[in-house]
Amino acid sequence: MHITRAKLTAFVPYMLILAVITILPMTGNDYRALIGTRAAIYWILIAGLNLIVGYAGQLAIGYVALFALGSYTASILAAGTVTPEIPPALALLAGAGVGAVFGVVVGLPALRLRTFYFAMSTLGFATIVTQVALGWQNVTGGGIGLSGPSLPAPFDTAWGLYWLCVGLAVVFTLITANVAASRFGRALIATRDAEVAAEACGISKPQLLVSVFLFAGAAAGLAGGLFASLQTYITPDAFTFDLSLLFFISVLIGGRGSILGPLLGTILLTLLPEIAAPLAAWSTFVYAGLLLLIVLAMPGGIAALLDRESRKALPSGRAIVPQHDALQELLGGKRLQQRLQMSGILLKFGELRAIDGLDLSVEPGEVHGLIGPNGSGKTTTLNVISGYYRPQEGSLTLGGETLPAAKPVKRAARGICRTFQTPRIIGEETALENVMIGGTLAGRASFVEALLALPRARADERQIKATAMGALRAVGLDSLADIRADRLQHSELRFLEIARALMLHPRLLLLDEPAAGLSVQEILRLGALIKAISREGVAVLLVEHHADLIFDVCDRVTVLNLGRVLAHGTPAEIRVHKEVVSAYLGA
Ligand code: ADP
Ligand code: MG
């Protein structure tokens, strides 16, 4: 394996933390064991929460609920007041199980509710859990509480428990880092920053989020059980809103899409009240202040402060030079060649007939131009084909088979791929990672295999990465592979989107104004690239305003006006078509 210096320096902070973890017990101070154990327990929960808040961008602010559920489950089962007494280790696992189940229950609203409303729903759940803990006295002990599971030797001493929790914290660091580095981690970020593009790449958000909610819930439940052991006694007021805020803000000060940042955030927020004891009484105030500070002064969190890669100078005088041999390698081989047929498609927005009885076919190996004035329904046509809109009338078939209605994720799997009129790119990810999003469906390993970085998951990564490098070469962006996408020029983003679409081995490629914002030379290269893609047997539907590009590369052209076909024919026919010239092309 090739290890770069950047990769080595990325390990340094983890090594320092490990060093502190190892040195701490040598001080023999039991109070430090308590703080260290607490930080480790918090991190087990926050490591899971990080995937939800930092990676998927879901504002889960009430995670203390799952922590409390794990705590109570483990304590009740270990105490044996309700059920036969259960060994503490099993009780902890049961706490994790209950956490996982309720993790999904708390998480499901995220599939329907937007940010703020989802945040409120998690908070509501936290209130319910506290109320139940208070009210269900014969099980939970009500306000008086109950004792936590007491673990067997060697975990029954302060340092024994410390090592157990720190060990588990290390494990959770590793497995969340594994997920983050896998296609699942990239898919989470894609649903966060470019949801529509994620769908177009075949990423099913519900399926993905459920896996992550299960995992994060289990982590929270396990952490809760360990917390009960640490506290030796739990009452409902151990699980305050402040604690929930601590979890949430640890991720935020850490920074989105990072493992190290939230880890440092957790350590910082656990230590803060200890170092500055008077602050403890002011914790809500301090957290609110920190939150404001992060939002205003450092939206990227600790991770952004540590990120030096993205401040390096970019290669100057760069040009986009597509490599046709790489394209052949990427798309070569036998491809199922399929024809797209749209018949009598009607799509209304209220009373507006955006598409009004459209017939259109695109043959494999053909570049079909779709032109027309602004608002004539070109983008809407692409949205119907890629499954974002469900037409009120008409049929849509690919290779003679009717396409499943209005499911972008399913269309991507059938090889219908697209770019967007405004590029939908993840700015915080590198060019290579953006293209790798397109390879999500190519992976074979399950979420659990990715968690553990099992051989199949590692093979997936190698293969997706190699294909993505090929796709970058094919569109001429390989020299920018490691550059964050938000540093690229607009024209480069257009080619980047094509590379991402090529990752899906398209049968039908939909391009929405790919030449907008490109220089004359870039348009020529784009034209050659589109031609080359179609020569590999791909059907290409090209929406464009640049008449030169359309007439250069298209085999057939359809002209839309007010959602209807105004004209249809070869470029030579369209160029001289009377109505088209007067309505659209101009004299
Ligand atoms: P263009 O040919 O410029 O790509 P569009 O397909 O974007 O045109 O739009 C076609 C018509 O449909 C326009 O009148 C536009 O205002 C309308 N339209 C597009 N999307 C929507 C929407 N989501 N809701 C309502 N009207 C829409
Ligand atoms: Mg448009």
Side-chain angles (χ1 to χ4, degrees):
M1 200 171 81
H2 178 64
I3 296 178
T4 60
R5 250 186 72 182
K7 273 192 188 151
L8 272 183
T9 42
F11 276 117
V12 171
Y14 291 107
M15 290 299 150
L16 289 178
I17 295 172
L18 273 181
V20 173
I21 288 174
T22 334
I23 291 167
L24 206 60
M26 295 176 193
T27 66
N29 179 333
D30 275 7
Y31 175 68
R32 290 190 188 143
L34 172 74
I35 306 302
T37 310
R38 191 183 293 158
I41 289 173
Y42 287 171
W43 171 242
I44 293 171
L45 178 143
I46 294 166
L49 183 64
N50 184 28
L51 292 181
I52 290 171
V53 177
Y55 282 81
Q58 299 293 334
L59 302 184
I61 54 177
Y63 247 55
V64 76
L66 300 170
F67 192 65
L69 273 174
S71 242
Y72 273 102
T73 306
S75 304
I76 293 165
L77 292 179
T81 46
V82 184
T83 56
E85 207 169 301
I86 285 174
L90 286 184
L92 287 181
L93 283 182
V98 170
V101 171
F102 281 91
V104 175
V105 173
V106 187
L108 280 183
L111 301 177
R112 293 235 158 248
L113 302 178
R114 289 288 138 191
T115 54
F116 174 74
Y117 300 94
F118 174 63
M120 286 296 115
S121 77
T122 65
L123 204 56
F125 185 72
T127 313
I128 294 172
V129 169
T130 317
Q131 291 307 316
V132 170
L134 263 175
W136 202 5
Q137 286 182 6
N138 49 354
V139 174
T140 64
I144 300 162
L146 80 167
S147 26
S150 42
L151 299 179
F155 307 119
D156 54 348
T157 63
W159 291 106
L161 186 61
Y162 169 85
W163 280 117
L164 174 66
C165 295
V166 162
L168 287 170
V170 171
V171 169
F172 273 85
T173 311
L174 289 174
I175 59 185
T176 52
N178 286 342
V179 174
S182 75
R183 64 193 175 107
F184 297 99
R186 285 188 302 274
L188 285 172
I189 293 186
T191 60
R192 179 191 79 192
D193 287 354
E195 192 173 346
V196 175
E199 275 185 285
C201 291
I203 295 169
S204 158
K205 186 174 169 186
Q207 210 177 334
L208 184 66
L209 282 189
V210 166
S211 310
V212 177
F213 283 134
L214 270 175
F215 171 74
L222 177 66
L226 293 167
F227 181 74
S229 288
L230 175 69
Q231 297 289 88
T232 65
Y233 202 82
I234 53 164
T235 56
D237 35 298
F239 308 100
T240 56
F241 179 57
D242 279 5
L243 190 55
S244 225
L245 272 186
L246 181 148
F247 298 153
F248 186 70
I249 295 178
S250 295
V251 177
L252 285 201
I253 25 175
R256 321 194 295 171
S258 150
I259 301 285
L260 179 64
L263 173 57
L264 294 176
T266 306
I267 296 173
L268 189 74
L269 286 195
T270 315
L271 288 185
L272 204 62
E274 307 302 327
I275 298 168
L279 282 184
W282 292 83
S283 57
T284 313
F285 183 76
V286 171
Y287 292 151
L290 269 176
L291 195 57
L292 274 180
L293 193 74
I294 304 158
V295 172
L296 296 176
M298 46 178 244
I302 299 172
L305 294 180
L306 297 177
D307 177 18
R308 282 182 311 171
E309 271 308 286
S310 71
R311 270 170 252 152
K312 277 194 203 150
L314 290 181
S316 61
R318 55 196 201 263
I320 306 167
V321 189
Q323 308 284 322
H324 288 194
D325 58 325
L327 184 74
Q328 273 165 351
E329 206 174 302
L330 186 68
L331 296 183
K334 280 228 169 63
R335 146 181 331 277
L336 202 53
Q337 303 205 345
Q338 293 184 321
R339 161 178 208 260
L340 173 86
Q341 178 71 54
M342 302 176 85
S343 321
I345 297 286
L346 170 73
L347 186 100
K348 293 196 285 190
F349 294 114
E351 282 309 298
L352 176 79
R353 290 170 170 256
I355 308 181
D356 195 0
L358 177 64
D359 299 324
L360 182 75
S361 67
V362 190
E363 306 290 337
E366 172 195 36
V367 183
H368 194 121
L370 188 61
I371 64 175
N374 275 327
S376 56
K378 304 182 297 292
T379 297
T380 307
T381 303
L382 297 197
N383 283 336
V384 166
I385 299 173
S386 51
Y388 291 98
Y389 296 149
R390 181 196 293 263
Q392 281 90 4
E393 281 173 27
S395 75
L396 196 62
T397 61
L398 185 70
E401 271 178 65
T402 303
L403 290 166
K407 292 228 174 71
V409 172
K410 294 252 165 70
R411 306 254 164 127
R414 290 288 304 271
I416 299 181
C417 311
R418 66 174 297 181
T419 66
F420 297 89
Q421 190 167 350
T422 322
R424 296 183 192 254
I425 295 286
I426 302 156
E428 291 170 23
E429 299 266 272
T430 65
L432 179 65
E433 286 162 338
N434 267 287
V435 176
M436 286 171 81
I437 300 284
T440 305
L441 285 182
R444 290 282 149 261
S446 65
F447 184 75
V448 174
E449 288 173 280
L451 267 180
L452 304 173
L454 295 184
R456 225 157 55 136
R458 289 202 303 258
D460 275 355
E461 285 314 296
R462 274 195 303 275
Q463 187 246 319
I464 295 173
K465 189 169 176 181
T467 317
M469 274 313 292
L472 277 173
R473 280 207 324 121
V475 302
L477 290 176
D478 44 317
S479 64
L480 301 174
D482 296 326
I483 306 295
R484 265 172 61 137
D486 54 9
R487 307 182 69 204
L488 299 181
Q489 289 165 8
H490 184 78
S491 55
E492 288 161 343
L493 297 184
R494 295 228 173 260
F495 283 85
L496 192 63
E497 277 211 316
I498 296 177
R500 185 178 65 197
L502 291 179
M503 286 294 285
L504 284 138
H505 300 282
R507 283 173 209 156
L508 173 65
L509 179 62
L510 312 169
L511 301 170
D512 200 351
E513 303 197 16
L518 267 55
S519 71
V520 174
Q521 179 159 51
E522 284 165 343
I523 292 179
L524 285 176
R525 288 181 177 155
L526 174 70
L529 176 64
I530 293 172
K531 266 273 170 227
I533 292 172
S534 76
R535 271 200 300 272
E536 299 299 326
V538 180
V540 180
L541 184 59
L542 172 64
V543 169
E544 214 7 281
H545 275 302
H546 284 81
D548 290 347
L549 178 64
I550 287 285
F551 294 134
D552 273 356
V553 305
C554 291
D555 301 296
R556 284 188 299 158
V557 179
T558 297
V559 188
L560 286 185
N561 194 26
L562 299 174
R564 291 164 186 263
V565 176
L566 178 68
H568 173 86
T570 64
E573 290 161 4
I574 295 299
R575 210 194 276 267
V576 295
H577 191 286
K578 254 204 196 126
E579 282 171 79
V580 174
V581 172
S582 64
Y584 176 58
L585 291 175

